[in-house]
Short mmCIF file of all heavy atoms in Angstrom, two decimals:
data_model
loop_
_atom_site.label_atom_id
_atom_site.label_comp_id
_atom_site.label_asym_id
_atom_site.label_seq_id
_atom_site.Cartn_x
_atom_site.Cartn_y
_atom_site.Cartn_z
N GLY A 1 -3.81 -12.92 -40.36
CA GLY A 1 -3.06 -13.33 -39.17
C GLY A 1 -2.79 -12.19 -38.23
O GLY A 1 -3.67 -11.39 -37.93
N GLY A 2 -1.58 -12.10 -37.77
CA GLY A 2 -1.18 -11.12 -36.76
C GLY A 2 -0.07 -11.73 -35.96
O GLY A 2 0.33 -12.86 -36.22
N GLY A 3 0.42 -11.02 -34.98
CA GLY A 3 1.51 -11.54 -34.16
C GLY A 3 1.02 -12.74 -33.36
O GLY A 3 0.01 -12.66 -32.67
N LEU A 4 1.70 -13.84 -33.50
CA LEU A 4 1.30 -15.05 -32.79
C LEU A 4 2.00 -15.10 -31.44
O LEU A 4 3.23 -15.13 -31.39
CB LEU A 4 1.66 -16.27 -33.63
CG LEU A 4 0.90 -17.56 -33.28
CD1 LEU A 4 -0.58 -17.41 -33.60
CD2 LEU A 4 1.47 -18.72 -34.07
N MET A 5 1.22 -15.10 -30.39
CA MET A 5 1.79 -15.20 -29.06
C MET A 5 2.20 -16.65 -28.85
O MET A 5 1.48 -17.54 -29.24
CB MET A 5 0.75 -14.79 -28.02
CG MET A 5 1.36 -14.44 -26.68
SD MET A 5 0.06 -14.06 -25.47
CE MET A 5 -0.40 -15.72 -24.97
N GLN A 6 3.35 -16.87 -28.27
CA GLN A 6 3.82 -18.22 -28.06
C GLN A 6 2.94 -18.93 -27.03
O GLN A 6 2.90 -18.55 -25.87
CB GLN A 6 5.28 -18.20 -27.58
CG GLN A 6 5.95 -19.56 -27.57
CD GLN A 6 5.88 -20.26 -28.93
OE1 GLN A 6 6.22 -19.67 -29.95
NE2 GLN A 6 5.46 -21.50 -28.94
N ALA A 7 2.22 -19.91 -27.49
CA ALA A 7 1.33 -20.65 -26.60
C ALA A 7 2.11 -21.72 -25.86
O ALA A 7 3.05 -22.29 -26.41
CB ALA A 7 0.21 -21.28 -27.40
N ARG A 8 1.71 -21.96 -24.62
CA ARG A 8 2.35 -23.02 -23.86
C ARG A 8 1.57 -24.30 -24.12
O ARG A 8 0.49 -24.50 -23.56
CB ARG A 8 2.32 -22.70 -22.37
CG ARG A 8 3.30 -21.60 -21.98
CD ARG A 8 3.40 -21.48 -20.48
NE ARG A 8 2.18 -20.90 -19.90
CZ ARG A 8 1.92 -20.89 -18.60
NH1 ARG A 8 2.74 -21.43 -17.74
NH2 ARG A 8 0.81 -20.34 -18.15
N MET A 9 2.11 -25.14 -25.01
CA MET A 9 1.44 -26.38 -25.34
C MET A 9 2.01 -27.49 -24.47
O MET A 9 3.22 -27.71 -24.45
CB MET A 9 1.62 -26.72 -26.82
CG MET A 9 1.11 -25.65 -27.77
SD MET A 9 -0.64 -25.21 -27.53
CE MET A 9 -1.43 -26.61 -28.35
N VAL A 10 1.14 -28.14 -23.73
CA VAL A 10 1.57 -29.20 -22.82
C VAL A 10 0.73 -30.45 -23.05
O VAL A 10 -0.34 -30.39 -23.64
CB VAL A 10 1.47 -28.75 -21.34
CG1 VAL A 10 2.37 -27.56 -21.06
CG2 VAL A 10 0.02 -28.45 -20.96
N SER A 11 1.23 -31.57 -22.56
CA SER A 11 0.48 -32.81 -22.67
C SER A 11 -0.72 -32.76 -21.73
O SER A 11 -0.76 -31.95 -20.80
CB SER A 11 1.37 -33.99 -22.30
OG SER A 11 1.74 -33.90 -20.94
N ILE A 12 -1.68 -33.65 -21.96
CA ILE A 12 -2.86 -33.70 -21.08
C ILE A 12 -2.43 -33.97 -19.64
O ILE A 12 -2.91 -33.33 -18.71
CB ILE A 12 -3.85 -34.80 -21.55
CG1 ILE A 12 -4.46 -34.41 -22.91
CG2 ILE A 12 -4.98 -34.97 -20.53
CD1 ILE A 12 -5.43 -35.45 -23.47
N GLY A 13 -1.50 -34.90 -19.47
CA GLY A 13 -1.03 -35.23 -18.13
C GLY A 13 -0.44 -34.03 -17.41
O GLY A 13 -0.72 -33.80 -16.24
N HIS A 14 0.36 -33.26 -18.14
CA HIS A 14 0.99 -32.08 -17.56
C HIS A 14 -0.05 -31.02 -17.24
O HIS A 14 -0.03 -30.40 -16.18
CB HIS A 14 2.04 -31.52 -18.52
CG HIS A 14 2.85 -30.40 -17.94
ND1 HIS A 14 4.02 -30.61 -17.25
CD2 HIS A 14 2.62 -29.06 -17.93
CE1 HIS A 14 4.49 -29.42 -16.84
NE2 HIS A 14 3.67 -28.48 -17.24
N GLY A 15 -0.99 -30.83 -18.18
CA GLY A 15 -2.06 -29.85 -17.97
C GLY A 15 -2.91 -30.20 -16.76
O GLY A 15 -3.29 -29.33 -15.98
N ALA A 16 -3.18 -31.49 -16.60
CA ALA A 16 -3.97 -31.95 -15.46
C ALA A 16 -3.22 -31.67 -14.16
O ALA A 16 -3.81 -31.18 -13.19
CB ALA A 16 -4.26 -33.44 -15.60
N GLU A 17 -1.94 -31.96 -14.17
CA GLU A 17 -1.09 -31.74 -13.00
C GLU A 17 -1.03 -30.26 -12.62
O GLU A 17 -1.17 -29.89 -11.46
CB GLU A 17 0.31 -32.22 -13.35
CG GLU A 17 1.06 -32.85 -12.20
CD GLU A 17 2.35 -33.51 -12.68
OE1 GLU A 17 3.36 -32.79 -12.78
OE2 GLU A 17 2.31 -34.72 -12.97
N GLU A 18 -0.84 -29.42 -13.63
CA GLU A 18 -0.71 -27.97 -13.41
C GLU A 18 -1.99 -27.34 -12.84
O GLU A 18 -1.92 -26.39 -12.09
CB GLU A 18 -0.40 -27.26 -14.73
CG GLU A 18 1.02 -27.41 -15.20
CD GLU A 18 2.00 -26.50 -14.48
OE1 GLU A 18 1.68 -25.30 -14.30
OE2 GLU A 18 3.08 -26.97 -14.11
N THR A 19 -3.14 -27.85 -13.26
CA THR A 19 -4.40 -27.22 -12.89
C THR A 19 -5.17 -27.97 -11.81
O THR A 19 -6.16 -27.46 -11.30
CB THR A 19 -5.30 -27.07 -14.13
OG1 THR A 19 -5.49 -28.38 -14.71
CG2 THR A 19 -4.68 -26.16 -15.16
N GLY A 20 -4.74 -29.18 -11.50
CA GLY A 20 -5.42 -29.94 -10.45
C GLY A 20 -6.68 -30.65 -10.90
O GLY A 20 -7.44 -31.14 -10.07
N VAL A 21 -6.94 -30.70 -12.21
CA VAL A 21 -8.09 -31.47 -12.69
C VAL A 21 -7.60 -32.87 -13.04
O VAL A 21 -6.41 -33.09 -13.20
CB VAL A 21 -8.78 -30.83 -13.93
CG1 VAL A 21 -9.37 -29.48 -13.60
CG2 VAL A 21 -7.83 -30.74 -15.10
N SER A 22 -8.51 -33.80 -13.15
CA SER A 22 -8.09 -35.16 -13.46
C SER A 22 -7.82 -35.32 -14.95
O SER A 22 -8.42 -34.64 -15.78
CB SER A 22 -9.14 -36.18 -13.00
OG SER A 22 -10.28 -36.10 -13.82
N TYR A 23 -6.93 -36.23 -15.25
CA TYR A 23 -6.58 -36.55 -16.64
C TYR A 23 -7.82 -36.94 -17.43
O TYR A 23 -8.03 -36.47 -18.54
CB TYR A 23 -5.56 -37.69 -16.63
CG TYR A 23 -5.10 -38.13 -18.00
CD1 TYR A 23 -3.94 -37.61 -18.55
CD2 TYR A 23 -5.83 -39.08 -18.71
CE1 TYR A 23 -3.51 -38.02 -19.81
CE2 TYR A 23 -5.41 -39.49 -19.97
CZ TYR A 23 -4.26 -38.96 -20.52
OH TYR A 23 -3.84 -39.35 -21.75
N SER A 24 -8.66 -37.77 -16.81
CA SER A 24 -9.84 -38.26 -17.52
C SER A 24 -10.86 -37.15 -17.81
O SER A 24 -11.48 -37.14 -18.87
CB SER A 24 -10.51 -39.40 -16.75
OG SER A 24 -10.77 -39.02 -15.42
N ALA A 25 -10.99 -36.20 -16.88
CA ALA A 25 -11.91 -35.08 -17.10
C ALA A 25 -11.44 -34.23 -18.28
O ALA A 25 -12.22 -33.87 -19.16
CB ALA A 25 -12.02 -34.22 -15.84
N LEU A 26 -10.15 -33.95 -18.28
CA LEU A 26 -9.55 -33.15 -19.33
C LEU A 26 -9.71 -33.81 -20.70
O LEU A 26 -10.09 -33.19 -21.68
CB LEU A 26 -8.07 -32.94 -19.00
CG LEU A 26 -7.28 -31.86 -19.70
CD1 LEU A 26 -8.09 -30.61 -19.94
CD2 LEU A 26 -6.06 -31.54 -18.85
N ARG A 27 -9.45 -35.11 -20.73
CA ARG A 27 -9.57 -35.87 -21.96
C ARG A 27 -11.02 -35.89 -22.47
O ARG A 27 -11.29 -35.78 -23.65
CB ARG A 27 -9.10 -37.30 -21.70
CG ARG A 27 -8.55 -37.96 -22.92
CD ARG A 27 -8.13 -39.38 -22.62
NE ARG A 27 -8.28 -40.18 -23.81
CZ ARG A 27 -7.40 -40.21 -24.80
NH1 ARG A 27 -6.30 -39.48 -24.73
NH2 ARG A 27 -7.60 -40.95 -25.86
N ARG A 28 -11.94 -35.99 -21.52
CA ARG A 28 -13.37 -36.00 -21.86
C ARG A 28 -13.80 -34.67 -22.47
O ARG A 28 -14.54 -34.63 -23.45
CB ARG A 28 -14.19 -36.31 -20.60
CG ARG A 28 -15.66 -36.57 -20.87
CD ARG A 28 -16.33 -37.26 -19.70
NE ARG A 28 -16.22 -36.48 -18.47
CZ ARG A 28 -15.61 -36.89 -17.36
NH1 ARG A 28 -15.03 -38.08 -17.30
NH2 ARG A 28 -15.56 -36.12 -16.29
N TRP A 29 -13.33 -33.55 -21.90
CA TRP A 29 -13.67 -32.23 -22.45
C TRP A 29 -13.19 -32.08 -23.87
O TRP A 29 -13.85 -31.48 -24.70
CB TRP A 29 -13.09 -31.11 -21.58
CG TRP A 29 -13.66 -31.03 -20.20
CD1 TRP A 29 -14.92 -31.39 -19.83
CD2 TRP A 29 -13.01 -30.58 -19.02
NE1 TRP A 29 -15.07 -31.19 -18.47
CE2 TRP A 29 -13.93 -30.70 -17.96
CE3 TRP A 29 -11.72 -30.08 -18.77
CZ2 TRP A 29 -13.61 -30.32 -16.65
CZ3 TRP A 29 -11.40 -29.71 -17.47
CH2 TRP A 29 -12.33 -29.82 -16.42
N ILE A 30 -12.00 -32.61 -24.15
CA ILE A 30 -11.44 -32.56 -25.50
C ILE A 30 -12.28 -33.40 -26.44
O ILE A 30 -12.68 -32.95 -27.51
CB ILE A 30 -9.96 -33.02 -25.50
CG1 ILE A 30 -9.10 -31.97 -24.79
CG2 ILE A 30 -9.47 -33.26 -26.92
CD1 ILE A 30 -7.67 -32.43 -24.49
N LYS A 31 -12.59 -34.62 -26.04
CA LYS A 31 -13.37 -35.54 -26.86
C LYS A 31 -14.76 -35.00 -27.16
O LYS A 31 -15.28 -35.19 -28.26
CB LYS A 31 -13.52 -36.90 -26.15
CG LYS A 31 -12.22 -37.66 -26.00
CD LYS A 31 -11.90 -38.45 -27.25
CE LYS A 31 -10.76 -39.40 -27.02
NZ LYS A 31 -10.19 -39.90 -28.28
N ARG A 32 -15.36 -34.34 -26.19
CA ARG A 32 -16.71 -33.80 -26.36
C ARG A 32 -16.72 -32.47 -27.11
O ARG A 32 -17.78 -31.94 -27.40
CB ARG A 32 -17.35 -33.56 -24.99
CG ARG A 32 -17.80 -34.82 -24.29
CD ARG A 32 -18.44 -34.42 -22.99
NE ARG A 32 -18.99 -35.57 -22.29
CZ ARG A 32 -19.54 -35.49 -21.06
NH1 ARG A 32 -19.57 -34.33 -20.45
NH2 ARG A 32 -20.02 -36.55 -20.48
N GLY A 33 -15.53 -31.92 -27.34
CA GLY A 33 -15.46 -30.64 -28.02
C GLY A 33 -15.73 -29.46 -27.12
O GLY A 33 -15.98 -28.35 -27.58
N GLU A 34 -15.69 -29.68 -25.82
CA GLU A 34 -15.93 -28.58 -24.88
C GLU A 34 -14.69 -27.71 -24.73
O GLU A 34 -14.77 -26.51 -24.52
CB GLU A 34 -16.35 -29.13 -23.52
CG GLU A 34 -17.76 -29.71 -23.54
CD GLU A 34 -18.10 -30.46 -22.25
OE1 GLU A 34 -17.62 -30.06 -21.18
OE2 GLU A 34 -18.84 -31.46 -22.34
N PHE A 35 -13.54 -28.35 -24.83
CA PHE A 35 -12.28 -27.61 -24.79
C PHE A 35 -11.63 -27.76 -26.15
O PHE A 35 -11.31 -28.87 -26.57
CB PHE A 35 -11.36 -28.17 -23.68
CG PHE A 35 -10.06 -27.41 -23.57
CD1 PHE A 35 -10.03 -26.14 -23.03
CD2 PHE A 35 -8.88 -27.96 -24.04
CE1 PHE A 35 -8.84 -25.42 -22.95
CE2 PHE A 35 -7.68 -27.25 -23.95
CZ PHE A 35 -7.67 -25.98 -23.41
N LYS A 36 -11.47 -26.61 -26.85
CA LYS A 36 -11.05 -26.66 -28.25
C LYS A 36 -9.61 -26.25 -28.51
O LYS A 36 -9.15 -26.30 -29.63
CB LYS A 36 -11.97 -25.77 -29.08
CG LYS A 36 -13.43 -26.19 -29.01
CD LYS A 36 -14.30 -25.24 -29.81
CE LYS A 36 -15.75 -25.68 -29.81
NZ LYS A 36 -16.41 -25.46 -28.51
N TYR A 37 -8.92 -25.82 -27.47
CA TYR A 37 -7.56 -25.30 -27.67
C TYR A 37 -6.51 -26.38 -27.52
O TYR A 37 -5.82 -26.46 -26.52
CB TYR A 37 -7.29 -24.14 -26.71
CG TYR A 37 -8.27 -23.01 -26.88
CD1 TYR A 37 -9.38 -22.91 -26.04
CD2 TYR A 37 -8.10 -22.08 -27.89
CE1 TYR A 37 -10.30 -21.89 -26.21
CE2 TYR A 37 -9.02 -21.05 -28.07
CZ TYR A 37 -10.11 -20.97 -27.22
OH TYR A 37 -11.01 -19.96 -27.40
N TYR A 38 -6.44 -27.24 -28.53
CA TYR A 38 -5.45 -28.31 -28.50
C TYR A 38 -5.04 -28.65 -29.92
O TYR A 38 -5.72 -28.28 -30.88
CB TYR A 38 -6.02 -29.55 -27.81
CG TYR A 38 -7.14 -30.22 -28.59
CD1 TYR A 38 -6.86 -31.19 -29.55
CD2 TYR A 38 -8.46 -29.86 -28.38
CE1 TYR A 38 -7.87 -31.78 -30.29
CE2 TYR A 38 -9.48 -30.44 -29.11
CZ TYR A 38 -9.17 -31.41 -30.06
OH TYR A 38 -10.18 -31.99 -30.79
N VAL A 39 -3.94 -29.36 -30.04
CA VAL A 39 -3.53 -29.89 -31.34
C VAL A 39 -3.29 -31.38 -31.13
O VAL A 39 -2.90 -31.81 -30.04
CB VAL A 39 -2.24 -29.23 -31.91
CG1 VAL A 39 -2.52 -27.81 -32.36
CG2 VAL A 39 -1.10 -29.28 -30.91
N LYS A 40 -3.57 -32.14 -32.15
CA LYS A 40 -3.35 -33.57 -32.03
C LYS A 40 -2.15 -33.91 -32.89
O LYS A 40 -2.08 -33.53 -34.04
CB LYS A 40 -4.58 -34.34 -32.51
CG LYS A 40 -4.53 -35.79 -32.07
CD LYS A 40 -5.80 -36.53 -32.42
CE LYS A 40 -5.67 -37.96 -31.90
NZ LYS A 40 -6.53 -38.90 -32.59
N SER A 41 -1.19 -34.59 -32.29
CA SER A 41 0.01 -34.98 -33.01
C SER A 41 0.17 -36.48 -32.86
O SER A 41 0.44 -36.97 -31.76
CB SER A 41 1.22 -34.25 -32.43
OG SER A 41 2.41 -34.75 -32.99
N GLY A 42 -0.07 -37.22 -33.93
CA GLY A 42 -0.06 -38.67 -33.83
C GLY A 42 -1.21 -39.07 -32.94
O GLY A 42 -2.34 -38.70 -33.21
N ASN A 43 -0.91 -39.78 -31.87
CA ASN A 43 -2.00 -40.15 -30.96
C ASN A 43 -1.91 -39.37 -29.65
O ASN A 43 -2.48 -39.75 -28.65
CB ASN A 43 -1.98 -41.66 -30.69
CG ASN A 43 -0.66 -42.12 -30.09
OD1 ASN A 43 0.27 -41.33 -29.96
ND2 ASN A 43 -0.57 -43.38 -29.72
N ARG A 44 -1.17 -38.27 -29.69
CA ARG A 44 -1.04 -37.43 -28.49
C ARG A 44 -1.73 -36.09 -28.66
O ARG A 44 -1.76 -35.54 -29.75
CB ARG A 44 0.45 -37.19 -28.19
CG ARG A 44 1.20 -38.47 -27.90
CD ARG A 44 2.47 -38.20 -27.16
NE ARG A 44 2.20 -37.62 -25.84
CZ ARG A 44 3.15 -37.25 -24.99
NH1 ARG A 44 4.42 -37.39 -25.31
NH2 ARG A 44 2.85 -36.75 -23.81
N TYR A 45 -2.27 -35.61 -27.58
CA TYR A 45 -2.92 -34.30 -27.58
C TYR A 45 -2.00 -33.32 -26.87
O TYR A 45 -1.46 -33.62 -25.81
CB TYR A 45 -4.24 -34.35 -26.83
CG TYR A 45 -5.33 -35.11 -27.55
CD1 TYR A 45 -5.61 -36.43 -27.23
CD2 TYR A 45 -6.09 -34.49 -28.54
CE1 TYR A 45 -6.61 -37.13 -27.88
CE2 TYR A 45 -7.09 -35.18 -29.19
CZ TYR A 45 -7.35 -36.50 -28.86
OH TYR A 45 -8.34 -37.18 -29.50
N TRP A 46 -1.87 -32.14 -27.45
CA TRP A 46 -1.11 -31.06 -26.82
C TRP A 46 -2.10 -29.94 -26.58
O TRP A 46 -2.74 -29.47 -27.50
CB TRP A 46 0.02 -30.60 -27.75
CG TRP A 46 1.01 -31.69 -27.96
CD1 TRP A 46 1.04 -32.55 -29.02
CD2 TRP A 46 2.07 -32.08 -27.09
NE1 TRP A 46 2.05 -33.45 -28.85
CE2 TRP A 46 2.71 -33.19 -27.67
CE3 TRP A 46 2.54 -31.60 -25.86
CZ2 TRP A 46 3.80 -33.83 -27.07
CZ3 TRP A 46 3.62 -32.23 -25.26
CH2 TRP A 46 4.24 -33.33 -25.87
N ILE A 47 -2.23 -29.52 -25.33
CA ILE A 47 -3.21 -28.51 -25.00
C ILE A 47 -2.56 -27.18 -24.65
O ILE A 47 -1.43 -27.13 -24.18
CB ILE A 47 -4.11 -28.97 -23.84
CG1 ILE A 47 -3.25 -29.27 -22.59
CG2 ILE A 47 -4.93 -30.20 -24.24
CD1 ILE A 47 -4.05 -29.55 -21.36
N ASN A 48 -3.30 -26.10 -24.93
CA ASN A 48 -2.83 -24.76 -24.62
C ASN A 48 -3.09 -24.51 -23.13
O ASN A 48 -4.24 -24.37 -22.71
CB ASN A 48 -3.58 -23.75 -25.50
CG ASN A 48 -3.09 -22.34 -25.30
OD1 ASN A 48 -2.79 -21.90 -24.19
ND2 ASN A 48 -3.04 -21.59 -26.38
N LEU A 49 -2.03 -24.49 -22.35
CA LEU A 49 -2.15 -24.38 -20.89
C LEU A 49 -2.85 -23.10 -20.44
O LEU A 49 -3.69 -23.14 -19.54
CB LEU A 49 -0.77 -24.49 -20.25
CG LEU A 49 -0.74 -24.58 -18.72
CD1 LEU A 49 -1.55 -25.76 -18.20
CD2 LEU A 49 0.69 -24.65 -18.22
N ASP A 50 -2.53 -21.98 -21.06
CA ASP A 50 -3.16 -20.71 -20.67
C ASP A 50 -4.65 -20.72 -20.94
O ASP A 50 -5.44 -20.23 -20.14
CB ASP A 50 -2.48 -19.54 -21.40
CG ASP A 50 -1.01 -19.46 -21.04
OD1 ASP A 50 -0.70 -19.39 -19.84
OD2 ASP A 50 -0.17 -19.48 -21.96
N ARG A 51 -5.05 -21.32 -22.09
CA ARG A 51 -6.47 -21.42 -22.42
C ARG A 51 -7.18 -22.37 -21.46
O ARG A 51 -8.34 -22.16 -21.12
CB ARG A 51 -6.65 -21.92 -23.86
CG ARG A 51 -6.29 -20.89 -24.90
CD ARG A 51 -7.40 -19.88 -25.06
NE ARG A 51 -7.12 -18.93 -26.12
CZ ARG A 51 -6.63 -17.71 -25.91
NH1 ARG A 51 -6.35 -17.30 -24.70
NH2 ARG A 51 -6.42 -16.91 -26.93
N LEU A 52 -6.46 -23.41 -21.02
CA LEU A 52 -7.05 -24.35 -20.07
C LEU A 52 -7.35 -23.64 -18.75
O LEU A 52 -8.43 -23.80 -18.18
CB LEU A 52 -6.10 -25.53 -19.82
CG LEU A 52 -6.57 -26.52 -18.75
CD1 LEU A 52 -7.91 -27.15 -19.10
CD2 LEU A 52 -5.53 -27.59 -18.51
N ILE A 53 -6.41 -22.82 -18.30
CA ILE A 53 -6.60 -22.07 -17.05
C ILE A 53 -7.80 -21.13 -17.18
O ILE A 53 -8.64 -21.04 -16.29
CB ILE A 53 -5.31 -21.31 -16.68
CG1 ILE A 53 -4.22 -22.34 -16.30
CG2 ILE A 53 -5.55 -20.33 -15.53
CD1 ILE A 53 -2.81 -21.78 -16.26
N GLU A 54 -7.90 -20.45 -18.34
CA GLU A 54 -9.05 -19.57 -18.59
C GLU A 54 -10.35 -20.36 -18.58
O GLU A 54 -11.35 -19.94 -18.01
CB GLU A 54 -8.92 -18.90 -19.97
CG GLU A 54 -8.08 -17.65 -19.97
CD GLU A 54 -7.88 -17.12 -21.38
OE1 GLU A 54 -8.76 -17.34 -22.25
OE2 GLU A 54 -6.83 -16.49 -21.62
N PHE A 55 -10.31 -21.51 -19.26
CA PHE A 55 -11.48 -22.39 -19.36
C PHE A 55 -11.96 -22.81 -17.97
O PHE A 55 -13.16 -22.79 -17.68
CB PHE A 55 -11.08 -23.62 -20.19
CG PHE A 55 -12.14 -24.69 -20.30
CD1 PHE A 55 -13.19 -24.57 -21.20
CD2 PHE A 55 -12.05 -25.84 -19.52
CE1 PHE A 55 -14.15 -25.58 -21.31
CE2 PHE A 55 -13.00 -26.85 -19.64
CZ PHE A 55 -14.06 -26.72 -20.53
N LEU A 56 -11.02 -23.15 -17.10
CA LEU A 56 -11.37 -23.60 -15.75
C LEU A 56 -11.87 -22.46 -14.87
O LEU A 56 -12.60 -22.69 -13.92
CB LEU A 56 -10.16 -24.26 -15.09
CG LEU A 56 -9.73 -25.57 -15.73
CD1 LEU A 56 -8.40 -26.04 -15.15
CD2 LEU A 56 -10.78 -26.65 -15.57
N ASN A 57 -11.50 -21.23 -15.22
CA ASN A 57 -11.95 -20.08 -14.45
C ASN A 57 -13.26 -19.51 -14.95
O ASN A 57 -13.79 -18.55 -14.39
CB ASN A 57 -10.88 -18.98 -14.46
CG ASN A 57 -9.70 -19.35 -13.59
OD1 ASN A 57 -9.85 -20.03 -12.58
ND2 ASN A 57 -8.52 -18.91 -13.97
N THR A 58 -13.78 -20.08 -16.03
CA THR A 58 -15.04 -19.62 -16.60
C THR A 58 -16.17 -20.51 -16.10
O THR A 58 -16.13 -21.73 -16.31
CB THR A 58 -14.99 -19.68 -18.14
OG1 THR A 58 -13.85 -18.96 -18.59
CG2 THR A 58 -16.24 -19.09 -18.76
N PRO A 59 -17.15 -19.94 -15.41
CA PRO A 59 -18.25 -20.77 -14.95
C PRO A 59 -19.03 -21.34 -16.13
O PRO A 59 -19.35 -20.62 -17.08
CB PRO A 59 -19.11 -19.82 -14.11
CG PRO A 59 -18.67 -18.46 -14.45
CD PRO A 59 -17.30 -18.54 -15.06
N ILE A 60 -19.32 -22.62 -16.07
CA ILE A 60 -20.07 -23.24 -17.15
C ILE A 60 -21.38 -23.80 -16.61
O ILE A 60 -21.46 -24.18 -15.44
CB ILE A 60 -19.29 -24.38 -17.85
CG1 ILE A 60 -18.76 -25.39 -16.80
CG2 ILE A 60 -18.17 -23.83 -18.71
CD1 ILE A 60 -18.38 -26.72 -17.36
N THR A 61 -22.39 -23.83 -17.46
CA THR A 61 -23.66 -24.39 -17.03
C THR A 61 -23.71 -25.85 -17.48
O THR A 61 -23.44 -26.15 -18.63
CB THR A 61 -24.83 -23.60 -17.67
OG1 THR A 61 -24.44 -23.17 -18.98
CG2 THR A 61 -25.21 -22.40 -16.84
N VAL A 62 -24.01 -26.70 -16.55
CA VAL A 62 -24.11 -28.11 -16.86
C VAL A 62 -25.58 -28.43 -17.03
O VAL A 62 -26.40 -28.18 -16.14
CB VAL A 62 -23.49 -28.97 -15.72
CG1 VAL A 62 -23.65 -30.45 -16.02
CG2 VAL A 62 -22.03 -28.61 -15.53
N THR A 63 -25.92 -28.97 -18.19
CA THR A 63 -27.31 -29.29 -18.45
C THR A 63 -27.67 -30.65 -17.86
O THR A 63 -26.85 -31.55 -17.79
CB THR A 63 -27.61 -29.29 -19.97
OG1 THR A 63 -26.66 -30.15 -20.60
CG2 THR A 63 -27.51 -27.90 -20.54
N ALA A 64 -28.89 -30.79 -17.44
CA ALA A 64 -29.35 -32.00 -16.76
C ALA A 64 -29.38 -33.22 -17.68
O ALA A 64 -29.27 -34.34 -17.22
CB ALA A 64 -30.75 -31.77 -16.17
N ASP A 65 -29.52 -32.99 -18.98
CA ASP A 65 -29.60 -34.12 -19.90
C ASP A 65 -28.25 -34.60 -20.43
O ASP A 65 -28.18 -35.19 -21.49
CB ASP A 65 -30.54 -33.77 -21.08
CG ASP A 65 -30.06 -32.54 -21.82
OD1 ASP A 65 -30.31 -31.43 -21.32
OD2 ASP A 65 -29.44 -32.70 -22.90
N GLU A 66 -27.22 -34.37 -19.64
CA GLU A 66 -25.87 -34.76 -20.05
C GLU A 66 -25.47 -36.16 -19.63
O GLU A 66 -24.29 -36.47 -19.56
CB GLU A 66 -24.84 -33.78 -19.48
CG GLU A 66 -24.57 -32.58 -20.37
CD GLU A 66 -23.78 -32.98 -21.63
OE1 GLU A 66 -22.58 -33.25 -21.52
OE2 GLU A 66 -24.38 -33.02 -22.72
N GLU A 67 -26.44 -37.00 -19.30
CA GLU A 67 -26.08 -38.36 -18.86
C GLU A 67 -25.33 -39.11 -19.93
O GLU A 67 -25.55 -38.91 -21.11
CB GLU A 67 -27.35 -39.18 -18.51
CG GLU A 67 -28.06 -38.72 -17.27
CD GLU A 67 -29.53 -38.41 -17.55
OE1 GLU A 67 -30.22 -39.29 -18.08
OE2 GLU A 67 -29.93 -37.28 -17.30
N GLU A 68 -24.49 -40.02 -19.48
CA GLU A 68 -23.72 -40.85 -20.42
C GLU A 68 -24.67 -41.81 -21.10
O GLU A 68 -25.53 -42.41 -20.47
CB GLU A 68 -22.66 -41.65 -19.65
CG GLU A 68 -21.64 -40.81 -18.90
CD GLU A 68 -20.71 -40.05 -19.84
OE1 GLU A 68 -20.36 -40.60 -20.89
OE2 GLU A 68 -20.34 -38.90 -19.51
N ARG A 69 -24.47 -41.98 -22.39
CA ARG A 69 -25.31 -42.91 -23.15
C ARG A 69 -24.77 -44.32 -22.98
O ARG A 69 -23.58 -44.52 -23.04
CB ARG A 69 -25.30 -42.56 -24.64
CG ARG A 69 -25.87 -41.17 -24.91
CD ARG A 69 -27.35 -41.25 -25.28
NE ARG A 69 -27.91 -39.94 -25.60
CZ ARG A 69 -28.44 -39.13 -24.66
NH1 ARG A 69 -28.42 -39.46 -23.39
NH2 ARG A 69 -28.96 -38.00 -25.02
#
């Protein structure tokens, strides 16, 4: 382990509001495993807000074969 920095865990709705992304986009990233910094409690997801901000500031490559099945 090591010193655990206090993470800001927020709901998907709050995270979406804070960062300006849509709730559905955020939920989709979690479901697809693209965004991994979250905990699931019951049927609610709590996401690490700081990691979300980092994630959004990181350019990602979108592959052409990502169509919905």
Side-chain angles (χ1 to χ4, degrees):
L4 200 66
M5 199 183 82
Q6 191 55 50
R8 286 190 289 168
M9 302 304 282
V10 298
S11 64
I12 293 179
H14 186 90
E17 215 170 85
E18 284 281 316
T19 57
V21 296
S22 71
Y23 180 95
S24 53
L26 196 37
R27 208 181 150 80
R28 190 163 58 241
W29 295 330
I30 290 169
K31 294 276 191 196
R32 286 182 176 175
E34 289 171 34
F35 182 73
K36 301 178 177 72
Y37 302 97
Y38 67 88
V39 288
K40 195 175 182 202
S41 172
N43 59 355
R44 299 199 63 182
Y45 289 98
W46 296 97
I47 59 172
N48 184 321
L49 188 58
D50 299 305
R51 287 282 184 261
L52 175 60
I53 292 165
E54 275 174 29
F55 175 80
L56 293 171
N57 287 328
T58 306
I60 51 162
T61 34
V62 178
T63 53
D65 58 281
E66 271 289 287
E67 290 126 54
E68 299 292 324
R69 298 265 182 272

